[in-house]
Amino acid sequence: MERIEGTAEDAAAGAAGTGTGAGGPGEGPGRRTGPRPSASLASFAYTAADEEKRRGVRRMKTTATGLLLLVALVYVLATWAKNEGVGGWPGFVAAAAEAGMVGALADWFAVTALFKRPLGLPIPHTAIIPTKKDQLGASLGSFVGENFLSGGVVRDRIHSLSIGGRLGAWLAEPEHADRVTAELSTALRGALTVLRDADVQAVVGEAITRRANAAEVGPGLGKMLEKVVADGGHRKVVDLICVRAHDWLVEHNDSVMDAVQGGAPGWTPRFVDKRVGERVYKELLRFLTEMRDMPGHPARGSIDTFLTDFAADLQTDSETRARVERLKSEILGRGEVQDVIASAWSSVRTMVIAAAEDERSELRLRARASLMALGARLATDGRLQAKLEGWVEDAAVYVVTTYRAEITSLISDTVAGWDADQTSKKIEAHIGRDLQFIRINGTVVGALAGLVIYSVSRAFGA
């Protein structure tokens, strides 16, 4: 009896484990107090499918009970025949039937004790599921944590899957790469849609400004300017300035003349002012013409010298570098510059969404090609496979070892939240039919054991 009861308890605990992930509030022995979410109750509701299974359980109960009654009838008839003086077989049949009844009754008690108190009697260690529901859930959670969520088990299991090679072979297929690319594009569009532009713009603007303020630009500008001057890259700019200045002077000669004459003292004759203005204009025009047409003009050399010295000052002169930093801060602090920085996010967001939606965009084509290349390399490169699998194993082990208590508490808390009576009904509906075979087997095995014991007793007694 004790062995059968223990087996039945184990079966009930396993059945309770199959319900992990559902639960609900309710009344009954062993229920933990406190509010339970209604969603858990709904997910563990007693359904029409459960009722159909329960009808099958009732049919098996009828069969097991009928077998018990049949054995009892055989016992009565065999005992009657034995008392009437029939020799030989009635004793053997009566002994087998008697032991069969004992086995059937014992297993009926064990199976019934799982779900309720037999005959309503307050017998200890009965109604196991209603009264021990929370303990079963806690034990199941501990069992899962110790035997399934240990670092060694998880690492060995993931290692045996050969994730690297299988993932590589899968990604190397064009249709699979297309599928992953499409899913990534959908996720990217969703993420960009959810993000608030104002928040992202503020973050981007603050990050760019902070990074720009933290980095000194003077030495970098100096090195760049030094290289530009050394390579002669500034000469085209000087050529352009000379050409535009010459053309502007030719086009606006009257303005130059008026400016020179307007700056003359009031006591000088007007014809003198005019002659001076003409002279100044002609000298300016000659100077710009020579500078434009003569690559070796001294003014060009002066510009080269100035730029070279300025590049050196940007790198070594503390005062020049400080002035550049102040100018940088003033420029970054202007509202127009901040607006440009903030608006950059809108442009990037629009561009990325459009590229993600277009199947033939460069973004998606490059992503697809990269996935296929990664897959081909993963499928053949053992070192890369080992590295990827190591990352996955380490991540999985970290999760299960760090959050083992939270994971196992999901089992124990969920089981604790189930209604005791409803839990018993649901578990009985799922495993009750098989448990009835315990009663049938108990009847048959008991009868055979009784027959063997009676036969051995008669043999030694004879």
Side-chain angles (χ1 to χ4, degrees):
M1 171 67 70
E2 185 174 336
R3 178 193 59 80
I4 296 175
E5 182 175 326
T7 303
E9 287 191 36
D10 294 340
T18 61
T20 301
E27 301 297 331
R31 183 182 66 83
R32 270 188 8 180
T33 59
R36 302 294 176 191
S38 58
S40 299
L41 178 61
S43 63
F44 199 67
Y46 192 76
T47 64
D50 294 331
E51 183 58 35
E52 178 62 29
K53 292 178 180 179
R54 193 171 177 81
R55 283 194 287 270
V57 172
R58 285 196 289 268
R59 288 193 293 269
M60 286 303 302
K61 283 184 177 180
T62 302
T63 301
T65 302
L67 181 59
L68 170 61
L69 295 176
L70 175 62
V71 172
L73 178 61
V74 170
Y75 173 74
V76 170
L77 294 176
T79 301
W80 175 79
K82 182 179 179 181
N83 293 335
E84 290 295 320
V86 178
W89 63 268
F92 291 92
V93 174
E98 182 179 11
M101 288 190 295
V102 172
L105 290 172
D107 286 338
W108 165 82
F109 181 89
V111 172
T112 303
L114 282 172
F115 306 102
K116 56 187 177 181
R117 301 192 184 279
L119 303 177
L121 301 175
I123 303 173
H125 304 293
T126 58
I128 295 171
I129 291 177
T131 58
K132 303 288 186 180
K133 175 175 63 67
D134 291 2
Q135 297 180 25
L136 291 172
S139 299
L140 180 60
S142 299
F143 177 81
V144 171
E146 294 172 1
N147 297 278
F148 293 92
L149 298 180
S150 64
V153 171
V154 172
R155 190 179 294 277
D156 291 342
R157 178 57 179 167
I158 294 178
H159 183 74
S160 67
L161 295 177
S162 300
I163 294 177
R166 296 170 67 179
L167 177 62
W170 189 84
L171 278 178
E173 297 293 333
E175 60 271 18
H176 297 158
D178 289 337
R179 178 180 175 184
V180 174
T181 303
E183 295 296 337
L184 290 176
S185 299
T186 302
L188 179 60
R189 292 199 306 271
L192 293 177
T193 303
V194 169
L195 292 175
R196 293 178 55 188
D197 287 347
D199 295 338
V200 178
Q201 288 172 357
V203 171
V204 171
E206 193 274 337
I208 294 177
T209 303
R210 185 178 65 251
R211 182 68 180 272
N213 284 325
E216 186 179 0
V217 299
L221 289 176
K223 290 181 181 179
M224 182 178 66
L225 181 58
E226 184 179 42
K227 181 171 178 54
V228 169
V229 174
D231 296 340
H234 67 294
R235 290 179 184 140
K236 292 185 178 181
V237 177
V238 175
D239 292 341
L240 177 61
I241 293 175
C242 291
V243 170
R244 295 301 300 270
H246 177 274
D247 294 344
W248 185 90
L249 196 61
V250 172
E251 185 178 352
H252 299 87
N253 61 328
D254 294 337
S255 300
V256 176
M257 296 283 291
D258 292 341
V260 174
Q261 295 177 29
W267 50 266
T268 57
R270 293 183 61 82
F271 76 92
V272 174
D273 296 341
K274 183 177 181 181
R275 292 295 299 273
V276 172
E278 291 176 352
R279 183 65 179 174
V280 170
Y281 172 76
K282 288 180 180 179
E283 287 299 323
L284 284 173
L285 186 60
R286 181 184 62 79
F287 175 79
L288 289 174
T289 302
E290 291 176 354
M291 191 174 177
R292 182 194 64 181
D293 299 336
M294 296 173 58
H297 193 277
R300 287 178 175 264
S302 299
I303 293 175
D304 293 348
T305 302
F306 167 76
L307 292 176
T308 301
D309 294 341
F310 184 56
D313 290 342
L314 284 172
Q315 299 179 65
T316 60
D317 185 63
S318 58
E319 183 178 351
T320 303
R321 290 164 60 177
R323 292 174 63 183
V324 171
E325 288 301 308
R326 288 194 298 270
L327 178 62
K328 178 194 71 176
S329 299
E330 292 175 1
I331 293 174
L332 289 175
R334 295 185 64 85
E336 298 88 342
V337 176
Q338 291 297 315
D339 291 342
V340 171
I341 294 175
S343 64
W345 162 249
S346 298
S347 301
V348 172
R349 176 178 176 275
T350 302
M351 179 184 66
V352 172
I353 290 179
E357 291 176 346
D358 184 6
E359 295 183 359
R360 307 307 302 171
S361 68
E362 190 68 18
L363 176 65
R364 291 188 61 163
L365 291 177
R366 285 181 178 272
R368 178 180 181 274
S370 298
L371 287 171
M372 292 185 64
L374 175 62
R377 187 180 172 192
L378 266 176
T380 57
D381 191 339
R383 293 181 60 185
L384 184 59
Q385 292 176 13
K387 183 179 292 187
L388 175 63
E389 290 169 2
W391 290 340
V392 175
E393 290 172 14
D394 291 341
V397 169
Y398 173 80
V399 170
V400 299
T401 54
T402 305
Y403 301 102
R404 178 186 299 161
E406 287 79 358
I407 297 172
T408 55
S409 68
L410 174 66
I411 299 174
S412 57
D413 291 348
T414 300
V415 173
W418 291 342
D419 176 80
D421 295 334
Q422 192 164 330
T423 301
S424 297
K425 289 178 62 178
K426 196 173 184 72
I427 293 176
E428 184 178 14
H430 282 264
I431 68 169
R433 190 172 185 275
D434 293 324
L435 291 178
Q436 296 307 311
F437 280 104
I438 294 177
R439 295 176 57 190
I440 296 173
N441 293 338
T443 304
V444 174
V445 172
L448 294 175
L451 179 61
V452 170
I453 292 172
Y454 182 80
S455 299
V456 171
S457 300
R458 287 293 301 270
F460 281 100

